Amino acid sequence: MEREEEKKKEGSSYRYWVREATSDAAPPPLPQKLSNNDVALNAAPASLGSLWNRAGTWEEKSLTKWATDRLKELLGSVGSLQFSSGKAEIKDVNRCVGDAFLVTVRNKKRVGYTYELSLKVEGEWSFEENMKKVRGSLEIPEFSFGELDDLEVDVKLSEDKDLSQQLKQRIRLDMKQFLEPIRLKLGQFEQELKDR
């Protein structure tokens, strides 16, 4: 019986780690104090994101609060536009709903956002030698990162029975001219978001 066990031990390819040091074993490692040069040479390259994410795998950070405040600030600064028969200005941002985020993937930074906007507009138009005060809103149903060329604006006028359909149509066309200044401000917003 003993002989069979000895044969199994000799012929076995599986081996436990040596628990006792043998004469041919390497000596155990000794701790060494590192110099500043050693630390600098072994320093990991700067990674994006949090300290816990040194490998730069997936990490998502919400920028919604900053983005909402910044959008309101930028769009509030669009100012007024002069038209052939009147003028109008953006008074306030009624609604700014959406989210913005920064994602770190494989040590590369990517940003994105999706928002819906409603801007309060007030203006004056001359019609038959009378100045008519007009209130309304510019609705931007949805826009997201990289899609500013496809931006569309819907003009909604407050109900005013004194305005004819012809004048309402002219006012809507005039108010659509706000699209280009809005697009420029949103382009500035996208650039600031990328630079964060």
Side-chain angles (χ1 to χ4, degrees), residues 21-41:
T22 60
S23 61
D24 60 340
L30 298 173
Q32 290 181 328
K33 187 167 185 156
L34 295 175
S35 68
N36 287 339
N37 290 338
D38 294 335
V39 172
L41 291 174

Side-chain angles (χ1 to χ4, degrees), residues 38-102:
D38 294 335
V39 172
L41 291 174
N42 292 329
S47 64
L48 296 172
S50 301
L51 288 175
W52 60 265
N53 193 7
R54 288 264 183 218
T57 57
W58 180 272
E59 181 179 347
E60 187 170 339
K61 180 179 177 183
S62 175
L63 299 175
T64 303
K65 171 95 174 85
W66 172 85
T68 302
D69 293 343
R70 187 64 181 141
L71 277 172
K72 287 179 179 179
E73 182 182 334
L74 285 171
L75 294 171
S77 69
V78 168
S80 63
L81 289 181
Q82 195 73 32
F83 311 113
S84 60
S85 60
K87 64 178 181 176
E89 73 175 307
I90 294 177
K91 287 291 194 180
D92 193 18
V93 178
N94 286 342
R95 195 181 81 205
C96 183
V97 179
D99 62 339
F101 49 86
L102 167 78

Side-chain angles (χ1 to χ4, degrees), residues 83-85 125 170-178:
F83 311 113
S84 60
S85 60
W125 274 262
R170 186 183 333 155
I171 291 170
R172 282 191 184 100
L173 285 174
D174 285 346
M175 283 191 173
K176 285 196 181 232
Q177 292 180 31
F178 273 107

Side-chain angles (χ1 to χ4, degrees), residues 78-175:
V78 168
S80 63
L81 289 181
Q82 195 73 32
F83 311 113
S84 60
S85 60
K87 64 178 181 176
E89 73 175 307
I90 294 177
K91 287 291 194 180
D92 193 18
V93 178
N94 286 342
R95 195 181 81 205
C96 183
V97 179
D99 62 339
F101 49 86
L102 167 78
V103 177
T104 304
V105 183
R106 295 188 183 131
N107 226 7
K108 290 184 182 164
K109 183 171 78 167
R110 297 180 181 156
V111 292
Y113 66 86
T114 303
Y115 270 92
E116 295 178 14
L117 291 173
S118 175
L119 309 171
K120 181 179 176 183
V121 180
E122 292 181 5
E124 291 182 334
W125 274 262
S126 63
F127 187 68
E128 297 174 358
E129 298 185 21
N130 291 328
M131 291 300 282
K132 299 274 188 183
K133 287 194 181 270
V134 178
R135 290 186 178 133
S137 65
L138 301 173
E139 306 284 330
I140 302 174
E142 185 176 350
F143 62 99
S144 56
F145 187 80
E147 297 179 359
L148 294 182
D149 292 337
D150 301 332
L151 198 65
E152 293 180 10
V153 64
D154 297 328
V155 178
K156 295 187 178 176
L157 300 176
S158 59
E159 294 300 317
D160 191 347
K161 295 177 173 84
D162 295 344
L163 299 176
S164 66
Q165 284 302 103
Q166 180 185 5
L167 182 57
K168 284 183 180 180
Q169 191 61 29
R170 186 183 333 155
I171 291 170
R172 282 191 184 100
L173 285 174
D174 285 346
M175 283 191 173

